[in-house]
């Protein structure tokens, strides 16, 4: 190990000295039932064929729903596909039907014929467009490589889930097959996929972003399904670029469109999937090496101990920070997106036993199973299964208040993508691991 990555050995040593596990939580099966049930019951809008961005509860018991629709990242497929996973695990057709309706709506209606890319948002007044709530905060407006790539990746994940039940969705596969070549054609001379792409032509407009690795993850996932490896050499060059420019330097920036390319823990989650998929495709040991480096980078955002939170509701519950990850240097609260790569950690462990990675995996799943309502108002708001994206591990982050004006250490909101992050982690290979517990 050399360069910036030497910090990982130090981090592992600190972990050994300071580690405290998260408090016991519920089981994956109970989590799936509660979280997917709550998202389908309290955040699914059948007329709009999408999940709300946020559901809030007023003091009189009424709900306020903020739609802020997206095809992925913040709702859409980031909720639908994990709910589909949960539905398959639970045998719940109600949850599955909502998830399928969301996916079908995106596949059938989101494509912009001008550029051949999916539009990322929809509203009743303006219809489909790439101008979501994040658009005005971008330096170069256009389609987002992060969102488009993530959308294609999740459509393929849903395709595989359904295929495992003997159900074919050829239109889903055709949709991805039509978009992936356009993204590949927009790679620059370094092999990097675009951060933003033109609304009119789909040409790459802005680069210098790890988040666009979602496009590479989507292409690798498609290659797994079709067996067409013609573009594999170019994809391996792209992976080498992302590794050398971002992962090796331990400086992963350019994830979600709302962070102004801040260093964060979200963009690397795409690369983690890339390294796993390319190892599956090629069998090359270097991709396991790169996977571990990327996981260790994500762990640099992840707590290894439990902060003594002094503000309710987290203080009252004995809530654990261990296993949760800070989102970025721009948004330093803990949120659950890192739970989505539990399968990739498991994939690594099945090929290279590693006590440190295994303990970090247990922390991740353990944290996720104790961080949502297991009964009504457990976190002083909402119904069973409700979960927000924001957990405040220090007092400088506090913004939410109780009705009496006193500060609270979490947002009082149901956020489907946050629930989906936990579902994706616990409904994968962890489901049957060591007695179905953390």
């Amino acid at each position: 190990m050399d360069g910036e990555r030497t910090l990982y050995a130090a981090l592992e040593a600190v972990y050994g000295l300071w580690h405290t596990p998260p408090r016991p939580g519920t089981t994956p099966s109970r989590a799936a039932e509660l979280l997917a049930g709550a998202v389908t019951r309290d955040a699914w809008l059948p007329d709009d064929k999408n999940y709300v961005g946020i559901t809030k509860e007023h003091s009189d018991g009424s709900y306020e729903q903020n739609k802020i629709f997206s095809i992925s990242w913040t709702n859409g497929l980031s909720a639908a596909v994990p709910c589909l996973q949960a539905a398959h695990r639970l045998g719940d057709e109600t949850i599955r039907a909502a998830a399928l309706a969301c996916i079908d709506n995106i596949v059938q209606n989101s494509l912009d014929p001008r550029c051949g890319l999916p539009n990322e948002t929809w509203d009743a007044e303006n219809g489909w467009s790439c101008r979501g709530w994040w658009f005005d905060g971008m330096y170069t407006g256009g389609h987002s490589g992060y969102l488009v790539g993530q959308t294609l990746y999740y459509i393929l994940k849903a395709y595989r889930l359904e295929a495992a039940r003997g159900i074919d969705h050829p239109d889903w596969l055709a949709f991805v097959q039509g978009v992936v070549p356009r993204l590949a054609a927009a790679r620059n001379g370094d092999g990097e996929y675009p951060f933003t792409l033109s609304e009119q032509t789909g040409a790459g407009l802005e680069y210098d972003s790890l988040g666009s690795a979602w496009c590479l993850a989507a292409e690798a996932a498609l290659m797994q399904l079709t067996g067409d490896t013609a573009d594999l050499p170019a994809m391996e060059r792209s992976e080498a670029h992302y590794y050398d420019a971002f992962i090796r330097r331990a400086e992963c920036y350019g994830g979600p469109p709302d962070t102004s390319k801040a260093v964060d823990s979200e963009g690397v989650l795409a690369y983690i999937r890339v390294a796993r998929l390319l190892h599956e495709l090629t069998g090359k040991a270097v991709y396991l090496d790169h996977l571990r480096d990327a996981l260790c980078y994500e762990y640099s955002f992840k707590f290894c101990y439990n902060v003594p939170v002094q503000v309710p509701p987290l203080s009252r519950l004995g809530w654990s920070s261990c296993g949760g990850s800070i989102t970025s240097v721009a948004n330093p609260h803990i949120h659950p997106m890192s739970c989505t790569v539990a399968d990739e950690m498991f994939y690594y462990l099945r090929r290279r036993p590693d006590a440190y990675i295994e303990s970090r995996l247990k922390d991740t799943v353990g944290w996720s199973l104790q961080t949502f309502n297991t009964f009504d108002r457990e976190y002083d708001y909402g119904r069973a299964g409700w979960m927000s994206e924001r957990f405040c591990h220090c007092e400088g982050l506090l913004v939410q208040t109780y009705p009496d004006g006193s500060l609270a250490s979490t947002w009082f909101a149901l956020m489907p993508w946050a629930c989906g992050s936990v579902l994706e982690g616990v409904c994968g290979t962890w489901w049957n691991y060591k007695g179905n517990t953390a």
Side-chain angles (χ1 to χ4, degrees):
M1 184 175 289
D2 60 1
E4 293 86 343
R5 294 175 300 146
T6 57
L7 69 90
Y8 300 148
L11 185 63
E12 188 171 344
V14 169
Y15 182 89
L17 290 172
W18 291 96
H19 177 243
T20 54
R23 68 179 177 131
T26 189
T27 64
S29 56
R30 182 62 175 155
E33 179 184 351
L34 290 171
L35 291 166
V39 170
T40 305
R41 180 190 64 225
D42 299 326
W44 170 245
L45 299 177
D47 291 341
D48 296 307
K49 298 181 180 177
N50 207 335
Y51 303 88
V52 301
I54 304 171
T55 296
K56 294 183 179 180
E57 182 185 47
H58 293 303
S59 57
D60 62 2
S62 63
Y63 293 158
E64 174 189 342
Q65 293 179 316
N66 187 339
K67 294 184 177 183
I68 55 171
F69 290 141
S70 175
I71 57 175
S72 66
W73 179 67
T74 68
N75 55 16
L77 299 179
S78 60
V81 178
C83 280
L84 182 62
Q85 281 184 277
H88 286 179
R89 292 295 193 183
L90 299 169
D92 191 309
E93 287 301 316
T94 299
I95 295 171
R96 176 173 173 266
L100 294 181
C102 179
I103 299 167
D104 279 330
N105 183 49
I106 291 167
V107 168
Q108 299 301 328
N109 298 303
S110 69
L111 199 68
D112 187 332
R114 297 176 301 169
C115 60
L117 300 173
N119 282 303
E120 293 97 324
T121 190
W122 176 89
D123 65 69
E125 181 179 353
N126 300 304
W128 287 94
S129 77
C130 67
R131 298 171 179 259
W133 62 267
W134 58 87
F135 187 85
D136 290 337
M138 299 174 71
Y139 291 110
T140 306
H143 290 282
S144 162
Y146 182 101
L147 269 78
V148 171
Q150 187 182 80
T151 294
L152 303 181
Y153 173 87
Y154 275 121
I155 289 172
L156 292 177
K157 183 166 187 172
Y159 181 89
R160 293 176 72 100
L161 288 168
E162 289 281 284
R165 292 166 56 110
I167 303 167
D168 189 24
H169 295 275
D171 51 334
W172 297 3
L173 184 60
F175 180 88
V176 176
Q177 287 177 307
V179 178
V180 160
R182 297 178 181 273
L183 298 173
R187 288 179 294 217
N188 66 11
D190 293 327
E192 184 176 318
Y193 296 76
F195 180 69
T196 54
L197 306 98
S198 168
E199 292 180 70
Q200 287 74 35
T201 67
L205 299 176
E206 187 178 352
Y207 294 82
D208 193 26
S209 156
L210 180 58
S212 61
W214 275 113
C215 302
L216 179 54
E219 186 170 2
L222 179 62
M223 187 172 289
Q224 271 195 327
L225 280 170
T226 65
D228 181 356
T229 60
D231 201 41
L232 184 57
M235 292 165 58
E236 292 195 83
R237 287 193 297 272
S238 295
E239 185 280 335
H241 163 73
Y242 283 117
Y243 180 80
D244 289 336
F246 300 98
I247 305 300
R248 184 179 59 79
R249 298 179 182 179
E251 188 179 8
C252 297
Y253 57 86
D258 69 336
T259 61
S260 192
K261 292 193 177 180
V263 170
D264 66 37
S265 65
E266 295 187 26
V268 76
L269 303 179
Y271 178 87
I272 286 169
R273 290 162 167 96
V274 166
R276 182 248 177 97
L277 286 163
L278 287 180
H279 182 262
E280 288 184 297
L281 285 165
T282 70
K284 294 179 180 179
V286 66
Y287 294 124
L288 288 181
D289 298 338
H290 289 184
L291 175 56
R292 192 182 197 278
D293 283 349
L295 288 171
C296 287
Y297 175 82
E298 199 286 313
Y299 299 156
S300 71
F301 291 85
K302 190 179 292 294
F303 277 85
C304 66
Y305 57 88
N306 292 316
V307 176
V309 179
Q310 302 297 307
V311 178
L314 303 187
S315 60
R316 176 178 56 77
L317 294 168
W319 172 90
S320 297
S321 55
C322 178
S325 293
I326 292 172
T327 172
S328 77
V329 298
N331 296 311
H333 60 271
I334 293 178
H335 83 349
M337 196 177 293
S338 69
C339 299
T340 64
V341 293
D343 260 13
E344 281 64 37
M345 292 186 231
F346 224 148
Y347 179 87
Y348 182 87
L349 288 171
R350 287 198 298 268
R351 286 147 186 87
R352 290 182 179 174
D354 187 315
Y356 177 60
I357 301 294
E358 182 174 13
S359 188
R360 287 291 201 173
L361 171 58
K362 289 180 178 178
D363 291 347
T364 302
V365 177
W367 180 86
S368 71
L369 292 174
Q370 56 90 58
T371 200
F372 56 88
N373 280 346
T374 58
F375 54 84
D376 290 355
R377 305 195 64 77
E378 181 178 4
Y379 276 74
D380 290 344
Y381 75 98
R383 304 171 70 179
W386 281 37
M387 177 180 176
S388 88
E389 68 170 26
R390 181 178 170 90
F391 300 90
C392 301
H393 55 86
C394 70
E395 294 185 16
L397 299 172
L398 302 175
V399 293
Q400 176 76 49
T401 58
Y402 285 92
D404 65 2
S406 60
L407 290 167
S409 49
T410 188
W411 273 350
F412 295 153
L414 166 63
M415 305 186 75
W417 81 258
C419 298
S421 294
V422 171
L423 290 171
E424 188 170 2
V426 303
C427 290
T429 48
W430 188 271
W431 187 267
N432 295 315
Y433 177 65
K434 293 190 176 180
N436 206 24
T437 68

